[in-house]
Amino acid sequence: MRQRSLAALAMAAALAVTSAGCTVERHWGGGSNAGGGGKAKVGLVTKTDTNPYFVELRAAAKAAAEANGAEFSALAGQFDGDNDGQVRAIENLMQQGANTILITPSSSTGVLDAIDRARKAGVLVIALDTATEPDTAVDATFATDNFEAGRQQGAYVKAALAGKPPKLFMVDGTAGSTVDTQRHTGFLKGIGLTDASPEIKGKTPANGDQSLAQQGVENLLQRTTDINAVYTMNEPMGRGTYAALQARGLVDRIVMGSIDGGCEGVKNVRDGQYAATVMQFPKKMAEQGVLAAVEYAKTGKKPSGFVNTGSAVITDKPIPGVESQDTKWGLENCWGTK
């Protein structure tokens, strides 16, 4: 009987580990989740632990926690869109005694119940990079203003066309996602179009993926090659789009922009794959999130609302009226492997 009981306990423990669906940076002991006790225990939940953007976010948060005497644990979903994995991560962090959880939600609505439970338990919850819907589901959001980043890209592309009417392809991310919608809408604002404008010659979703972007643009080019501008929602899709355009010999006549500010993307701009990218600053998001966690642990004071962590146009082809930085500055300030 005792052997069967021990075996059952071992199996239960194994199942608990298997079902976690997330990766662990470090654990601490349990304790109260409420702030005001003096010791910050910061948990970070990212969409994945492999995307370079989230690797940078995690490294910056860990460094900031160490510099400010906070304990730190990082968990992640198994893939982009793993809402269940993020829910389990939030629950695990609460059990470990986190008094602040920083999260980049895979879905703006998919983790709201878990966030609500955490906040009711006294945990400060801050969204990083991606806002929740509604934004009041978290205490505060530290992120890029993605509408503004899209607007900056659109304004640059419009100015670079030098008065020529745009003939535009739009390479979007994941349909319905907050970031995709905000960047898409902002770009149209910046270039002076609407979704119904005849200047848009084709659209394709690519879910942030380089290969899907290449395939989608190849399909669009079978319908028409009479284009002079391309919007891409992020830099991997910019690289895929470039490959499709290069195969048709079209790159020299097209103004293409993107958004991210990864070091690889800045190099793409330097090497002429696209004219400009809009840099965002994940390190700043992480550092400000950790500082808010430290303040909450000491005093119980919570941040609130949306905090814009900024964006900057990166290009080696500056245009009067569009504020920008060159790729040398971009490589000094980019995220990822330099």
Side-chain angles (χ1 to χ4, degrees):
M1 177 66 72
R2 184 171 181 274
Q3 288 180 335
R4 286 199 297 270
S5 298
L6 289 172
L9 286 171
M11 181 173 292
L15 285 172
V17 172
T18 303
S19 65
C22 46
T23 55
V24 180
E25 178 83 20
R26 187 162 74 90
H27 286 294
W28 56 70
S32 172
N33 295 109
K39 184 70 171 180
K41 296 182 177 181
V42 185
L44 172 68
V45 181
T46 53
K47 297 178 185 180
T48 72
D49 64 354
T50 56
N51 183 302
Y53 183 86
F54 299 120
V55 170
E56 177 78 9
L57 197 74
R58 184 175 69 239
K62 182 180 180 182
E66 291 175 349
N68 288 278
E71 297 185 42
F72 181 75
S73 180
L75 305 173
Q78 293 181 318
F79 53 87
D80 197 340
D82 182 14
N83 294 319
D84 290 341
Q86 289 200 316
V87 168
R88 289 191 291 269
I90 291 169
E91 292 170 346
N92 287 344
L93 290 170
M94 290 175 63
Q95 290 170 3
Q96 294 170 28
N99 45 37
T100 294
I101 293 176
L102 312 175
I103 182 168
T104 61
S106 285
S107 164
S108 294
T109 59
V111 293
L112 297 190
D113 287 345
I115 288 173
D116 184 59
R117 290 193 294 274
R119 293 180 71 190
K120 286 178 177 175
V123 179
L124 169 66
V125 182
I126 297 173
L128 302 182
D129 178 68
T130 304
T132 55
E133 292 182 7
D135 55 7
T136 54
V138 292
D139 292 289
T141 301
F142 296 170
T144 304
D145 182 336
N146 282 295
F147 179 89
E148 174 60 14
R151 189 205 63 78
Q152 288 173 292
Q153 185 191 154
Y156 179 88
V157 171
K158 180 179 181 178
L161 288 172
K164 291 181 289 187
K167 300 175 183 179
L168 177 68
F169 279 173
M170 299 194 73
V171 186
D172 291 306
T174 302
S177 74
T178 304
V179 172
D180 176 70
T181 300
Q182 291 174 342
R183 293 183 181 183
H184 176 105
T185 306
F187 178 88
L188 291 177
K189 177 70 173 180
I191 201 171
L193 302 175
T194 71
D195 274 311
S197 296
E199 290 89 346
I200 300 175
K201 304 302 180 182
K203 301 176 186 176
T204 184
N207 297 334
D209 183 81
Q210 180 171 336
S211 296
L212 290 177
Q214 181 174 348
Q215 294 168 13
V217 174
E218 287 171 350
N219 291 337
L220 292 178
L221 289 171
Q222 291 177 9
R223 305 175 199 170
T224 181
T225 59
D226 186 22
I227 59 170
N228 61 11
V230 178
Y231 158 81
T232 62
M233 181 264 193
N234 72 6
E235 289 166 354
M237 295 194 298
R239 288 186 282 275
T241 298
Y242 175 82
L245 296 173
Q246 186 182 45
R248 290 292 195 103
L250 299 174
V251 292
D252 291 337
R253 75 184 205 199
I254 290 171
V255 180
M256 180 163 66
S258 197
I259 301 174
D260 265 347
C263 296
E264 186 175 0
V266 175
K267 292 174 184 176
N268 295 153
V269 173
R270 181 195 63 190
D271 297 341
Q273 291 192 28
Y274 32 91
T277 192
V278 181
M279 178 177 287
Q280 51 185 342
F281 302 98
K283 182 178 179 182
K284 188 181 293 186
M285 298 175 199
E287 289 174 345
Q288 292 185 4
V290 170
L291 289 176
V294 171
E295 177 68 19
Y296 176 60
K298 288 180 179 178
T299 68
K301 180 181 178 181
K302 295 182 177 183
S304 62
F306 179 84
V307 178
N308 181 13
T309 51
S311 55
V313 175
I314 307 297
T315 183
D316 287 332
K317 299 176 180 178
I319 297 173
V322 179
E323 186 176 350
S324 65
Q325 301 285 349
D326 62 18
T327 57
K328 180 180 179 182
W329 185 94
L331 287 171
E332 291 171 352
N333 292 276
C334 62
W335 50 267
T337 303
K338 297 187 178 181

